[in-house]
């Protein structure tokens, strides 16, 4: 029986543990925090408010179901979810409101009615997004881009041949502006999908315009009990398969001898392991856990993704016009991204995302109240004056949301917690609090991400949001699949 250590009980580490356990490995997961989940943790505030700590959008649920089926289990015995309809409520700076319905035709008609953009143009754009996803996902998301064998199949060669038509030479914003030249609001709506991997639509390649297909073609979903329930159900499965979780035991060093991993050192003891999978961000993995080993400096120096400033608010009122996902757009989107990626600060007029789960899980807030997860995209931590930026951004958020809803939100807040980039970095070991590792702000970003294995050290592998194929729940789950296949081979 092979014995494998995994560093970090984030969703990528948990999924890797399940896959390896199914294949007969003895797996030990070391987690620095008191519990599992990584960014996918949960928190409770006084007064009876529960929040998902980090990710709030759930797409591609079959990737979770697959893990249970691999273990011979019925997914519904562990984990249930429903498709959201509507998906998102949009509030534009000019007062326009738009509902993103789950049905693509209904959404297209909504856009035509509210924004005067022909429904046929919306349907054509979404169809193109779906074709781009279908042409590339099987290659560029589900396989290692750093193994020569990946490029030898006819399917992969066809995907590579399609890349020029997918938009490597133009930006997402240019693609969206060409598709919808007469309404900048719809351009802004589709530009926001760049934030799903922490990027800038004014720099990120148009290839990423396939991201809307995840919601509008496949669907957005809500797990019973919230996003944290995904991690809970998979940890339960992993433990049934014999995986051992060691909490409050941060790894201090990955031990190496003659170019091969030999084990781990924690404050408790030294453990022998022939294989180690790091679910930590690659930057602290190299800087802190492999201090005597050469690091891939070019890869580690790639520009970081955006981070987040999150306000968790217990709100003493219900707002029936709000759904699970709500977007309050800024007036000048380009200036907002310039502030994040060029000025390394927070826009004075940021776009605001509000996630509310209490409508689907009533126990997440007291009767008549709501739990607001309020997020603004911000730069990763580089020593900014975060207390000042938090105060500035809080005021801007209250102003933007209050204006859209016609209500002063401040007096309704009964409980509050703030999570900023330094806090994200401290809890999750994400370098600078960058949520997705490196950004995708250039055409070759996908190929420049760190591979799922070490080129120098035998027995060292990587999963999670800082390596291929990227951040977010679905991509972290795909990284687990890639890693487990690499280990088996």
């Amino acid at each position: 029986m092979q014995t494998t250590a995994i560093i970090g009980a984030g969703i990528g580490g948990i999924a890797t543990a399940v896959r390896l356990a199914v294949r007969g490995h003895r797996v030990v997961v070391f987690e620095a925090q008191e519990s599992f989940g990584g960014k996918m943790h949960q928190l409770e505030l006084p007064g009876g408010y529960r929040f998902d700590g980090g990710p709030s959008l759930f797409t591609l649920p079959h990737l979770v179901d697959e893990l249970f089926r691999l273990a011979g289990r019925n997914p519904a015995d562990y984990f249930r979810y429903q498709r959201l309809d509507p998906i998102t409520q949009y509030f534009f700076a000019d007062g326009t409101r738009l509902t993103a319905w789950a049905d693509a035709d209904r959404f297209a008609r909504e856009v035509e009615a509210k924004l005067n953009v022909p429904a046929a143009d919306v349907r054509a754009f979404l169809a193109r997004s779906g074709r781009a996803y279908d042409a590339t996902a099987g290659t560029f998301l589900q396989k290692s881009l750093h193994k020569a064998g990946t490029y030898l199949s006819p399917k992969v060669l066809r995907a590579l041949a399609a890349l020029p038509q997918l938009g490597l030479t133009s930006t997402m914003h240019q693609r969206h502006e060409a598709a919808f030249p007469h309404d900048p609001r719809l351009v802004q709506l589709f530009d926001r999908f760049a934030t799903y991997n922490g990027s800038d639509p004014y720099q990120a390649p148009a290839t990423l315009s396939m991201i809307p297909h995840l919601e509008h073609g496949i669907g957005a979903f809500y797990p019973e009990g919230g996003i944290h329930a995904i991690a809970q159900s998979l940890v339960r499965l992993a433990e049934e398969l014999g995986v051992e979780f060691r909490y409050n035991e941060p790894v201090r060093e990955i031990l190496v001898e003659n170019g091969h991993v030999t084990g781990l050192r924690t404050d408790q003891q030294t453990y022998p392991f022939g294989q180690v999978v790091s679910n930590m961000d690659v930057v602290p993995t190299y800087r802190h856990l492999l201090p005597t080993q050469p690091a891939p400096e070019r890869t580690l120096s790639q520009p970081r993704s955006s981070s987040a400033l999150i306000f968790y608010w217990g709100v003493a009122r219900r707002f029936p016009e709000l759904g699970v996902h709500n977007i309050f757009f800024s007036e000048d989107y380009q200036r907002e991204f310039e502030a994040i990626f060029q000025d390394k600060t927070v826009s004075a007029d940021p776009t605001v995302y509000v996630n509310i789960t209490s409508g689907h899980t009533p126990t997440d807030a007291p009767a008549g109240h709501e739990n607001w997860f309020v997020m603004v995209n911000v730069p990763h931590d580089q020593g900014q004056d975060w207390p000042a930026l938090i105060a500035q951004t809080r005021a801007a958020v209250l102003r933007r949301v209050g204006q859209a809803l016609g209500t002063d939100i401040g007096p309704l807040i009964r409980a509050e917690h703030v999570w900023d980039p330094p806090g994200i970095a401290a809890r999750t070991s994400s370098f600078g609090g960058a949520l997705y590792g490196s950004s995708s702000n250039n055409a070759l970003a996908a190929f420049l991400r760190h591979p799922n294995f070490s080129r120098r050290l035998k027995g060292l592998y990587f999963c999670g949001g800082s390596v291929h194929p990227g951040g977010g729940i679905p991509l972290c789950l795909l990284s687990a699949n890639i890693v487990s296949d690499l280990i088996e081979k």
Side-chain angles (χ1 to χ4, degrees):
M1 176 185 290
Q2 296 189 69
T3 303
T4 303
I6 297 176
I7 304 171
I11 187 63
I14 299 167
T16 302
V18 169
R19 287 184 174 275
L20 292 177
V22 166
R23 293 179 170 186
H25 290 242
R26 176 178 177 267
V27 183
V28 183
V29 181
F30 294 84
E31 170 56 49
Q33 298 297 322
E34 72 285 350
S35 188
F36 54 83
K39 298 182 186 74
M40 198 188 288
H41 67 287
Q42 66 177 354
L43 72 152
E44 297 180 0
L45 295 185
Y49 303 97
R50 191 209 71 90
F51 301 84
D52 286 312
S56 56
L57 177 69
F58 183 38
T59 57
L60 303 184
H62 70 276
L63 296 176
V64 177
D65 289 342
E66 180 184 38
L67 294 170
F68 294 104
R69 294 195 175 99
L70 284 172
R73 309 300 207 270
N74 178 4
D77 292 339
Y78 294 76
F79 176 65
R80 298 173 185 268
Y81 53 86
Q82 57 184 281
R83 188 173 186 180
L84 286 177
D85 192 18
I87 300 170
T88 306
Q89 298 292 346
Y90 289 100
F91 298 79
F92 293 93
D94 67 356
T96 303
R97 297 186 182 185
L98 184 144
T99 299
W101 301 100
D103 179 78
D105 287 333
R106 189 178 182 186
F107 173 59
R109 294 195 300 272
E110 171 87 358
V111 170
E112 185 172 77
K114 298 290 182 64
L115 306 183
N116 203 32
V117 175
D121 291 354
V122 179
R123 285 192 289 267
F125 175 83
L126 294 177
R128 182 178 184 179
S129 174
R131 289 194 299 272
Y133 179 84
D134 292 339
T136 59
T139 297
F140 298 110
L141 299 181
Q142 298 175 19
K143 297 181 182 297
S144 171
L145 297 183
H146 305 85
K147 291 288 188 181
T150 297
Y151 300 94
L152 299 179
S153 74
K155 180 179 179 181
V156 172
L157 293 175
R158 286 195 297 271
L160 289 171
L163 281 181
Q165 287 73 48
L166 296 178
L168 285 177
T169 58
S170 61
T171 68
M172 288 183 75
H173 178 75
Q174 289 168 341
R175 160 91 32 107
H176 301 154
E177 203 169 39
F180 309 110
H182 303 301
D183 199 295
R185 292 168 297 183
L186 193 56
V187 174
Q188 187 177 30
L189 188 155
F190 285 112
D191 277 357
R192 90 169 183 92
F193 285 94
T195 66
Y196 281 32
N197 65 8
S199 300
D200 173 1
Y202 299 90
Q203 298 183 65
T207 312
L208 298 185
S209 292
M210 70 178 72
I211 296 176
H213 178 67
L214 297 179
E215 288 186 18
H216 294 280
I218 301 172
F221 300 83
Y222 179 78
E224 289 185 9
I227 293 291
H228 185 64
I230 302 172
Q232 286 178 316
S233 64
L234 290 178
V235 167
R236 175 187 163 194
L237 173 64
E239 290 177 336
E240 289 178 3
L241 295 172
V243 174
E244 178 185 357
F245 288 85
R246 299 185 68 88
Y247 301 111
N248 293 310
E249 190 168 354
V251 172
R252 302 303 184 189
E253 186 179 2
I254 297 172
L255 304 177
V256 177
E257 187 174 327
N258 297 324
H260 201 298
V261 167
T262 59
L264 300 175
R265 179 178 61 82
T266 73
D267 291 337
Q268 280 83 340
Q269 68 181 84
T270 296
Y271 301 87
F273 289 104
Q275 293 175 149
V276 171
V277 180
S278 177
N279 185 213
M280 286 177 64
D281 188 303
V282 289
V283 176
T285 297
Y286 280 102
R287 301 294 188 226
H288 304 314
L289 305 189
L290 293 162
T292 64
Q293 300 299 316
E297 298 298 343
R298 183 182 176 188
T299 299
L300 300 190
S301 65
Q302 291 297 312
R304 297 292 96 186
S305 78
S306 59
S307 184
L309 179 56
I310 306 172
F311 300 92
Y312 305 90
W313 288 341
V315 176
R317 181 181 151 182
R318 299 195 67 182
F319 288 83
E321 65 267 49
L322 299 181
V324 176
H325 305 294
N326 309 275
I327 298 289
F328 299 84
F329 277 121
S330 65
E331 224 170 308
D332 188 341
Y333 217 31
Q334 185 166 7
R335 175 63 199 129
E336 183 177 347
F337 284 97
E338 287 174 353
I340 296 171
F341 288 99
Q342 297 176 30
D343 302 337
K344 313 300 182 186
T345 190
V346 186
S347 170
D349 176 27
T351 293
V352 182
Y353 167 71
V354 179
N355 172 248
I356 304 170
T357 63
S358 53
H360 281 71
T361 306
T363 54
D364 283 353
H369 293 218
E370 292 180 335
N371 63 331
W372 283 27
F373 168 105
V374 182
M375 188 187 85
V376 170
N377 293 302
V378 302
H380 72 284
D381 179 39
Q382 298 175 74
Q384 296 93 329
D385 184 353
W386 288 108
L389 289 174
I390 289 169
Q392 165 196 308
T393 305
R394 188 182 191 275
V397 166
L398 290 172
R399 184 168 57 250
R400 170 62 61 198
V401 176
Q403 181 182 34
L405 299 179
T407 303
D408 186 0
I409 303 299
L412 299 175
I413 298 173
R414 296 290 184 267
E416 181 172 17
H417 179 73
V418 181
W419 207 23
D420 62 6
I424 293 171
R427 181 178 177 89
T428 69
S429 295
S430 302
F431 181 65
L435 296 180
Y436 305 93
S438 57
S439 72
S440 295
N441 287 340
N442 65 69
L444 298 178
F447 299 92
L448 297 174
R449 295 186 77 86
H450 194 287
N452 302 100
F453 59 95
S454 170
R455 299 184 190 277
R456 292 177 178 271
L457 301 176
K458 293 181 180 180
L460 180 59
Y461 300 87
F462 300 86
C463 68
S466 71
V467 298
H468 177 69
I473 297 171
L475 299 190
C476 288
L477 292 172
L478 289 173
S479 78
N481 190 11
I482 293 170
V483 166
S484 61
D485 283 347
L486 288 172
I487 289 174
E488 282 300 290
K489 292 175 182 177

